[in-house]
Amino acid sequence: METLHVETETKQYPVFIGNEIITDLSPFIKELKPVVTSVLILSDKTVSALYMDNVIEALQGLDLPVHTFVVPNGDGEKSFSNYYNSLTFALENGLDRNSLILALGGGMIGDLAGFVAGTYMRGIRFIQIPTTLLAHDSAVGGKTGINHPLGKNMVGVFHQPEAVFYSINFLDTLPLTELRSGFAEVIKHALIQDEEFYNYLKEEISDLSDIQLENLSHILKKGISIKAEVVSQDEKEKGLRAILNFGHTLGHAIESESGYGTISHGDAVAIGMRFALKLSEELGNTNLHYKEISNWLKQFNYPGVPFQLDAMRLLSAMKRDKKSTSGHVKMVLLEAIGQPYVKEVSDSILLDALQKFLLTDKEQ
Ligand SMILES: NC(=O)c1ccc[n+]([C@@H]2O[C@H](COP(=O)([O-])OP(=O)(O)OC[C@H]3O[C@@H](n4cnc5c(N)ncnc54)[C@H](O)[C@@H]3O)[C@@H](O)[C@H]2O)c1
């Protein structure tokens, strides 16, 4: 088992990564102060069917009331109604301020359960138990929340977990499309912060369906370390943390305009990263080998921009993004691999770049 440490202004917590580490959950919970009075495991249908029993079994030595609440799966379920229903369930089952929530699932559950924990009785403790590759990103850093029909992740709070338990064996059942989605965030971390890691990925990973345990473990550790480092310097996104949005400005626009859940988060981010790379080259007069990176991404079958979306519609959605200020879009761009910067880009430049990008993207 490997332990990483996340240190933010408000909290320090461990991230445990390893095979079958869920067995270490009980001893960790036992040590928490104040003493935990009850546990609520929040999960989605698919993950619950696969791993809920493992987690319940791992809690048996605790002698605590353990409740489970399961929502349907899919990003559309990061909703007001599931948030409300989870709170109602928690109240009906007598969760108090010393109860603990376990978020068992991917980023959707992590965000929803974290938001429930962050707001129930003005905030109770929670632990992330990620089950997707993408969650190496979402489980660390304390951003929690739900979607509003008018925008993704528009309602939420910063609420750091007590710990993250990454039991790698839980990823065994992850469909290839979900691995690909998570891998996009891994690539993002490499591109914004670590050229050596990017080269490692390019050399070592060519087929996600055949990813070796040691590679997966290395990828998780590297990705989490990068995320943890950024978050430790800027917990509440006052500056540096914005670089984590590389690929997300267009990515979020694609997700919301296609309808949440229609395209996976990582697939949308992969398109957004390609666009950001192209724009970086155009505006920065740099050579980021857009074509080479783009071809490498294609190897994993990341999709192109959905056909029904045009440049004007995407621009409007980008302007609604909460990272835009007074309707101006801020893009995370790269000077070189590992050297990101944030730039406000005018509507006319963006529209032009989007039109060109869509044209070539749909031609490919
Ligand atoms: N809070 C943050 O900092 C942050 C960062 C990035 C992404 N996110 C959010 O994360 C979400 C996306 O996360 P995700 O891709 O993990 O999505 P997800 O949680 O919806 O999981 C994707 C699908 O995989 C299934 N699944 C999960 N684990 C599985 C397993 N081990 N075996 C089989 N199936 C499994 C789920 O049931 C679901 O159908 C988005 O809502 C995004 O906004 C949050």
Side-chain angles (χ1 to χ4, degrees), residues 111 136 152 245 359:
D111 282 8
H136 84 275
K152 199 172 153 57
N245 292 316
L359 206 65

Side-chain angles (χ1 to χ4, degrees), residues 44 73 75 78 106-108 111 131-132 134 143 152 170 173:
D44 74 26
N73 47 305
D75 205 58
K78 226 167 78 175
M108 186 280 279
D111 282 8
T131 63
T132 63
L134 188 133
K143 274 190 182 179
K152 199 172 153 57
F170 283 1
T173 48

Side-chain angles (χ1 to χ4, degrees), residues 324-344:
S324 305
T325 38
S326 328
H328 295 296
V329 178
K330 280 188 179 156
M331 292 288 299
V332 183
L333 302 175
L334 299 187
E335 241 164 65
I337 291 174
Q339 291 175 36
Y341 64 102
V342 181
K343 186 178 171 67
E344 200 171 284

Side-chain angles (χ1 to χ4, degrees), residues 170-216:
F170 283 1
L171 302 192
D172 286 350
T173 48
L174 200 59
L176 187 56
T177 47
E178 297 302 338
L179 261 182
R180 186 180 71 206
S181 177
F183 193 60
E185 297 281 11
V186 174
I187 295 171
K188 176 197 79 178
H189 284 131
L191 284 173
I192 58 169
Q193 212 65 357
D194 193 333
E195 189 172 7
E196 205 178 298
F197 183 37
Y198 167 72
N199 290 330
Y200 163 89
L201 293 174
K202 277 199 73 187
E203 273 157 38
E204 296 289 326
I205 316 291
S206 54
D207 181 0
L208 291 175
S209 64
D210 189 29
I211 195 160
Q212 303 302 309
L213 184 68
E214 67 187 82
N215 282 336
L216 193 53

Side-chain angles (χ1 to χ4, degrees), residues 277-345:
L277 285 168
K278 202 157 183 39
L279 195 61
S280 304
E281 286 193 338
E282 279 167 21
L283 298 184
N285 212 10
T286 49
N287 185 3
L288 292 162
H289 306 286
Y290 165 78
K291 263 254 150 8
E292 185 189 304
I293 299 178
S294 216
N295 286 339
W296 178 57
L297 285 174
K298 258 190 245 152
Q299 231 176 287
F300 301 106
N301 292 324
Y302 284 106
V305 180
F307 264 94
Q308 73 276 21
L309 303 181
D310 61 39
M312 201 56 216
R313 195 165 153 195
L314 287 170
L315 177 62
S316 306
M318 284 162 89
K319 291 176 72 164
R320 280 201 305 273
D321 195 282
K322 60 186 176 310
K323 273 105 199 177
S324 305
T325 38
S326 328
H328 295 296
V329 178
K330 280 188 179 156
M331 292 288 299
V332 183
L333 302 175
L334 299 187
E335 241 164 65
I337 291 174
Q339 291 175 36
Y341 64 102
V342 181
K343 186 178 171 67
E344 200 171 284
V345 184

